[in-house]
Amino acid sequence: SERPDVLRLDAVDVHYGGVQAVRGLTVSVAAGEVVTLLGGNGAGKTSTLSAISGLVRPSAGRITFEGQDITRAKPHEIVGRGLIHVPEGRRVFSRLSVHENLQLGGYLVRNAAELATRLDHVFAMLPRLAELRGQAAGSLSGGEQQMVAIGRALMAEPRLLVLDEPSMGLAPGMVATVMRLIQDIRDQGTAVLLVEQNTRAAMRVADRGYVLETGTCVAEGTVGELAGDPRVAEAYLGTA
Ligand code: ATP
């Protein structure tokens, strides 16, 4: 690729005691790309994201973000560099309003005018949240809560947004809305690493992908290449 890599994993292993969850994984995300990690339950997707965010330390390999080694960096240092992870299960602060949830995402912003500018920008990208701004986040639908979780991450103006199964449990119309939002985020210059079990949805929005099975990458390429790979089509698209 001509574009610089925002994120690189080189031969990363993750162990939990004696259990190896990720084996020799090499992944790159270039500026301007949506890259998806695909695979079934237990394939190692969440463990990979945890290693990237500093929540678990890889037992081998190297992770670099914008050219800096972050393999042993602490989670707050990684966040401070602009790598923001939205974990599975859209954890919003239920009793706080949408507006307050978003403000928390801008906690590193010291300047009130800058914070207000970022809020306006997030509300412009997610107009539904502007309508709901005074409501308790816990009273919203699952899809709306996912919007809050992503909007909160956008308040940090991430260089890389890491999303763990944002479509989980959402109605089909809402899945399409979330996927469109991911495209908008990419088009505004934020690279995205997207973990999904909804392979079809992920492949509609992603540029490239990696398929994981028991912690190992078994296929990688552009989404067109992956869709044309009979093993991928059979296992993940049901179309071989
Ligand atoms: P899912 O979508 O089900 O979360 P996944 O692809 O994200 O699947 P991981 O959650 O990364 O997969 O799990 C990979 C392997 O590591 C599995 O065998 C899992 O049981 C194991 N594992 C994950 N977390 C832990 C942990 N904290 N302690 C021990 N083993 C773990």
Side-chain angles (χ1 to χ4, degrees):
S1 161
E2 319 277 310
R3 292 172 298 191
D5 284 335
V6 176
L7 181 73
R8 285 198 59 82
L9 276 67
D10 287 296
V12 167
D13 288 355
V14 175
H15 283 86
Y16 300 102
V19 177
Q20 186 162 11
V22 178
R23 297 165 194 272
L25 186 63
T26 294
V27 163
S28 65
V29 182
E33 272 193 318
V34 176
V35 171
T36 186
L37 294 184
L38 303 170
N41 279 316
K45 306 180 300 297
T46 297
S47 298
T48 301
L49 299 192
S50 299
I52 292 167
S53 300
L55 302 172
V56 301
R57 185 165 290 184
S59 40
R62 194 166 124 102
I63 304 176
T64 48
F65 178 61
E66 298 196 308
Q68 306 284 310
D69 189 333
I70 59 161
T71 316
R72 278 163 208 75
K74 302 251 175 0
H76 72 270
E77 293 166 349
I78 294 170
V79 167
R81 288 171 187 263
L83 193 166
I84 309 293
H85 181 173
V86 179
E88 191 176 318
R90 39 185 167 277
R91 283 167 234 162
V92 298
F93 297 96
S94 322
R95 300 173 73 169
L96 298 185
S97 70
V98 168
H99 186 162
E100 288 163 336
N101 269 275
L102 295 179
Q103 279 181 316
L104 285 171
Y107 75 101
L108 289 173
V109 181
R110 295 277 170 254
N111 178 305
E114 172 64 18
L115 192 63
T117 302
R118 291 192 187 190
L119 260 174
D120 287 347
H121 182 68
V122 169
F123 284 138
M125 283 189 84
L126 291 160
R128 180 76 185 130
L129 293 190
E131 293 167 21
L132 297 168
R133 66 192 297 155
Q135 288 209 33
S139 72
L140 308 185
S141 74
E144 289 162 349
Q145 291 189 25
Q146 185 64 67
M147 301 287 184
V148 173
I150 296 174
R152 194 174 60 199
L154 292 176
M155 287 295 292
E157 293 196 340
R159 305 286 307 139
L160 175 72
L161 184 62
V162 174
L163 299 174
D164 196 353
E165 303 219 21
S167 81
M168 191 168 55
L170 303 187
M174 194 48 93
V175 172
T177 302
V178 169
M179 294 300 146
R180 265 197 307 278
L181 173 62
I182 292 169
Q183 277 170 327
D184 290 345
I185 292 167
R186 185 253 321 269
D187 293 346
Q188 294 194 8
T190 299
V192 178
L193 181 61
L194 171 65
V195 159
E196 266 299 341
Q197 291 209 35
N198 186 338
T199 305
R200 278 173 199 287
M203 285 178 59
R204 271 197 291 272
V205 61
D207 299 293
R208 290 187 304 113
Y210 298 82
V211 180
L212 271 56
E213 284 177 10
T214 57
T216 307
C217 178
V218 295
E220 67 173 278
T222 65
V223 291
E225 288 164 350
L226 290 177
D229 180 328
R231 291 168 311 158
V232 175
E234 182 176 22
Y236 299 101
L237 298 169
T239 56

